[in-house]
Amino acid sequence: MGQAWEVDRRLTPEVEGKIVFSFGVNDTTNAARKIEEAGSTRVKLADSIFRAAFANTREIMLAGKARSPILMVGPPPIFRAAFADREQNLRISHLSGEISSVCQQLEVPYMDAIAPLEATVPEKSAIWMEEASANDGAHPGAASYKELAKLVQNWQGWLSWFK
């Protein structure tokens, strides 16, 4: 991370900052802008998992840990019925597991976001998927982000910061 890091621009050294990371969905998005790209992802899954999750994610986590306490919230699901969202959510789920492994190795608290937000079982909230489907498939409305915030607020990793 040779260039000035985003966190350093926002948190001055005298501020006791904490960092919450969340990334990965875009790595799993279908690239099909051209016929020859059909079925491929923007970032090849092997590159995303082995290079990003194990190298880039590791680099980001280590740089974050050197600066402040950190947490990682896994990538959330998408809902694009016209774009085979179930396949992408499977890729997101797979990538989430790989990022979780990196976090475990580095002793960084990790919260899975896809499982509780995908709402494939009745007892889970369906608001994320409902709002995403009503919008662009990837970006839900305020109620969904409130649901995600509740998940984070009740997560032991987050709560441990305030003991």
Side-chain angles (χ1 to χ4, degrees):
M1 307 209 143
Q3 298 178 0
W5 203 35
E6 181 73 21
V7 172
D8 292 332
R9 293 184 188 124
R10 296 172 185 261
L11 298 176
T12 58
E14 63 274 3
V15 173
E16 181 194 349
K18 294 174 171 51
I19 306 167
V20 178
F21 291 108
S22 185
F23 49 80
V25 172
N26 216 28
D27 290 357
T28 67
T29 301
N30 195 326
R33 292 189 185 115
K34 303 175 192 162
I35 302 272
E36 61 272 12
E37 294 176 338
S40 68
T41 55
R42 288 184 185 161
V43 176
K44 299 244 182 279
L45 194 55
D47 289 343
S48 179
I49 291 167
F50 298 113
R51 190 179 41 158
F54 289 115
N56 294 346
T57 298
R58 186 176 186 81
E59 181 181 351
I60 290 166
M61 296 295 160
L62 289 171
K65 283 180 76 166
R67 167 66 171 85
S68 301
I70 65 172
L71 302 173
M72 175 70 189
V73 175
I78 57 99
F79 186 94
R80 296 183 199 167
F83 300 105
D85 62 292
R86 185 69 193 134
E87 289 177 16
Q88 183 170 357
N89 284 337
L90 288 172
R91 292 190 301 271
I92 293 170
S93 183
H94 185 75
L95 182 59
S96 178
E98 298 297 333
I99 293 171
S100 175
S101 294
V102 172
C103 289
Q104 186 175 9
Q105 292 168 12
L106 299 177
E107 298 179 344
V108 172
Y110 181 82
M111 186 192 93
D112 176 37
I114 191 166
L117 296 175
E118 192 175 18
T120 55
V121 292
E123 63 270 12
K124 295 181 181 174
S125 171
I127 190 70
W128 186 279
M129 299 303 272
E130 290 170 4
E131 286 193 350
S133 70
N135 199 8
D136 67 356
H139 302 94
S144 296
Y145 287 104
K146 183 176 179 180
E147 187 74 15
L148 178 58
K150 280 195 308 190
L151 290 170
V152 171
Q153 287 174 333
N154 293 308
W155 170 42
Q156 190 55 44
W158 176 263
L159 295 171
S160 70
W161 277 357
F162 303 101
K163 289 183 179 176

